[in-house]
Amino acid sequence: MSEMYSDETIHALTEALGFSPENTTLRGQVAEMLMGRGRLQEAEEMLRDGLKRSPGHLGLGLAMGECLLRLERRPEAVVVLESLVGPAGSDAAALVQLAGLLLRAGERDSASLVYRRAVREDPGRAEPKLGKELGVVPNQESDEPDQPEDLPFDDALDDEEWDEAAGRVRVRADHSPSGSPIEMERPSMGFDDVGGMQGLKEEVRLKIIEPIRNADLYKAYGKSIGGGILMYGPPGCGKTHLARATAGQIDAGFLAVGIHDVLEMWLGQSEQKLHALFDYARANTPCVLFFDEVDALGMKRSAVGGSGGRNVINQLLSELDGVRDRNDGVLILAATNAPWDLDAALRRPGRFDRVIFVPPPDTAGAAAILRLHLQGKPQEAIDVSTVAAKCSGFSGADLKAVVDRAVEAKLSDALKTGTPEPITTRDLVKAARKTRASTREWFATAKNHALYSNDSGHYDDILDYLKIKR
């Protein structure tokens, strides 16, 4: 209906909004009118200002998602809309609207999840056309969508599974708890084997290394030896490498936990394996327990469809808190490329009380990494600083690829001439020009989250790195 309003009316209401900038209802109405008149850029600015004043406001967020979709800026729209999935609460009408917008944005799975929740909250809000598009058809015997995720699974069903063909739960006869703890490593590497990352090394030193070396001093101040650091950033920037070096630096055991080490298809088994890993770490202190891709285990509970996934998250939170067993001497590091997918409860002090952004190395860090990768290779007076200056935005993995590319080129030449030649600065610069920074795609996504889903300032470091004013 906003097309019916004249520009004069919109101007008058905009002036009124200037006297009452916190009036979210008026702001949303004016933004809708602007969109109806095709003035999308103005609507976006008005909504962005409103979301700064009222972070997480559902109505303004939905309007912003609509506006960005009309501007054909789908990635930004997805970020805004997915940030509303949790706060939407029990407002079924808004959830249905959100599901429709997510479907338009191409996020079918998220749209289906939100729509199912809306129908559970208020069956009267079901929209058959939208439900049909999402493949969510009400069960003939109830108003609940006929999906396995909506079954009331609980601990009593640990020995059961969903039978897709029969459409019911059946007992799994051969169920048995599986998995002994993964093998513990004893890394020989230390911080000297990690190029750059000086700020992050200092954080790890204060949080993890010094409590081990000065246990009595920390106990005198009532500080336990343990705790967690969560590292996030683009892939290939050395998060796993640093975790392993941390264990080597203090001669501690190292347990690297991946998704496959925990997640099982049988309900209850994943929680058992997670508890076994923590118990193993507690029995072998000091120990660095490293969770790679922790977002796979600690995903937002609002985005998890069934109780099985939520139980794993709850188990992880319980283990981090040391509810049943103390975590003294268990040093917990975790890494993720998608911090926006993590459950907010993981960031609470006492769990991961340090959340650290791990950016691509700066020029000095890149030079140090190049030196490490060039060790033991035939070379001729390489100016690593010159090469590093050509590698802006390169991750540690990208820098390794530069060296590998240069080595491959020299090998190719040697096979033709029969004479091996040392690697030169020119060879590395040439290889750098042929290598694309793999971090660009990650920063494109991270920028959207930092701009549109940063209510608590968690991603301010990303904006600082990208030199974007807040």
Side-chain angles (χ1 to χ4, degrees):
M1 296 296 295
S2 53
E3 290 85 352
M4 297 172 61
Y5 291 94
S6 66
D7 290 341
E8 290 77 11
T9 301
I10 294 174
H11 178 72
L13 291 175
T14 301
E15 285 192 336
L17 186 62
F19 292 103
S20 182
E22 306 300 328
N23 189 332
T24 55
T25 301
L26 178 59
R27 184 178 294 274
Q29 289 173 345
V30 176
E32 290 287 347
M33 294 176 193
L34 287 169
M35 283 191 280
R37 301 287 291 180
R39 294 160 63 177
L40 299 178
Q41 298 289 353
E42 295 174 64
E44 181 196 358
E45 289 300 319
M46 181 168 289
L47 291 167
R48 183 179 296 170
D49 183 54
L51 287 170
K52 285 180 181 178
R53 295 173 185 275
S54 303
H57 188 278
L58 180 58
L60 296 180
L62 289 169
M64 176 63 92
E66 173 68 37
C67 184
L68 292 171
L69 284 175
R70 293 192 190 187
L71 285 166
E72 298 184 355
R73 286 156 56 185
R74 178 185 166 277
E76 295 172 60
V78 170
V79 168
V80 172
L81 294 171
E82 288 193 337
S83 72
L84 302 174
V85 172
S90 59
D91 188 336
L95 284 171
V96 170
Q97 185 182 354
L98 176 56
L101 288 173
L102 284 167
L103 181 61
R104 282 179 53 200
E107 298 297 308
R108 187 181 185 83
D109 290 343
S110 295
S112 178
L113 175 68
V114 172
Y115 182 75
R116 288 201 300 270
R117 188 196 303 176
V119 174
R120 283 197 298 269
E121 295 287 348
D122 183 355
R125 292 290 181 179
E127 291 189 4
K129 183 178 179 181
L130 178 59
K132 186 176 180 180
E133 284 187 79
L134 293 171
V136 180
V137 181
N139 193 304
Q140 293 179 352
E141 299 179 358
S142 72
D143 292 326
E144 294 292 322
D146 189 14
Q147 298 291 332
E149 292 88 348
D150 292 318
L151 286 171
F153 282 132
D154 56 28
D155 292 340
L157 299 181
D158 286 352
D159 294 337
E160 300 169 337
E161 62 172 313
W162 175 257
D163 189 329
E164 187 68 36
R168 58 181 173 82
V169 174
R170 64 178 172 82
V171 175
R172 182 189 178 214
D174 64 341
H175 172 78
S176 62
S178 68
S180 56
I182 57 179
E183 185 176 351
M184 183 174 287
E185 300 178 37
R186 288 284 175 181
S188 58
M189 63 183 297
F191 281 177
D192 290 341
D193 301 299
V194 179
M197 306 176 78
Q198 297 305 319
L200 186 52
K201 288 178 186 175
E202 182 64 14
E203 287 270 8
V204 173
R205 185 183 69 79
L206 292 173
K207 177 67 179 174
I208 290 181
I209 295 176
E210 292 303 335
I212 291 289
R213 291 177 175 171
N214 300 281
D216 293 338
L217 179 62
Y218 274 72
K219 286 179 181 178
Y221 282 93
K223 288 286 289 181
S224 61
I225 301 173
I229 291 179
L230 173 64
M231 300 175 286
Y232 77 93
C237 287
K239 297 183 286 293
T240 303
H241 197 51
L242 178 69
R244 186 171 275 105
T246 299
Q249 190 76 11
I250 55 176
D251 194 27
F254 182 71
L255 284 175
V257 183
I259 306 171
H260 60 282
D261 296 312
V262 175
L263 296 185
E264 292 281 352
M265 67 182 292
W266 311 114
L267 286 170
Q269 216 173 28
S270 298
E271 297 94 302
Q272 292 174 21
K273 293 184 76 171
L274 192 57
H275 179 66
L277 285 166
F278 270 88
D279 269 358
Y280 188 43
R282 292 174 187 127
N284 292 276
T285 57
C287 173
V288 173
L289 186 56
F290 175 64
F291 289 92
D292 197 10
E293 298 182 27
V294 70
D295 48 288
L297 298 176
M299 185 181 296
K300 290 179 182 176
R301 279 170 287 187
S302 61
V304 177
S307 62
R310 288 192 292 273
N311 288 343
V312 173
I313 300 168
N314 291 335
Q315 182 71 35
L316 177 59
L317 295 173
S318 175
E319 299 293 346
L320 290 171
D321 286 339
V323 173
R324 291 171 53 185
D325 304 277
R326 294 177 64 84
N327 287 329
D328 290 352
V330 179
L331 316 169
I332 304 166
L333 293 174
T336 177
N337 301 327
W340 34 83
D341 289 338
L342 280 174
D343 194 278
L346 283 171
R347 298 175 181 268
R348 201 194 76 183
R351 291 166 180 167
F352 291 114
D353 23 25
R354 294 286 190 280
V355 181
I356 303 173
F357 174 51
V358 184
D362 57 16
T363 302
I369 293 171
L370 287 168
R371 289 190 192 95
L372 286 172
H373 289 305
L374 285 166
Q375 286 179 1
K377 296 179 174 60
Q379 53 191 281
E380 183 181 280
I382 294 176
D383 183 355
V384 289
S385 296
T386 297
V387 180
K390 305 290 184 182
C391 299
S392 177
F394 280 31
S395 67
D398 295 332
L399 293 166
K400 182 180 184 300
V402 168
V403 175
D404 289 344
R405 192 185 291 268
V407 168
E408 289 169 3
K410 300 305 284 189
L411 282 171
S412 179
D413 291 342
L415 289 172
K416 294 175 183 177
T417 63
T419 305
E421 297 289 340
I423 302 169
T424 65
T425 302
R426 182 178 179 182
D427 295 326
L428 289 168
V429 169
K430 185 177 179 180
R433 288 173 178 164
K434 293 181 179 180
T435 304
R436 182 179 180 274
S438 62
T439 62
R440 293 178 184 174
E441 184 176 348
W442 185 88
F443 274 111
T445 299
K447 175 184 174 183
N448 292 333
H449 284 278
L451 285 173
Y452 300 107
S453 185
N454 192 27
D455 300 347
S456 52
H458 288 315
Y459 311 129
D460 286 352
D461 287 339
I462 295 174
L463 296 176
D464 291 340
Y465 180 84
L466 295 173
K467 297 181 173 60
I468 296 175
K469 293 183 179 180
R470 296 190 287 277

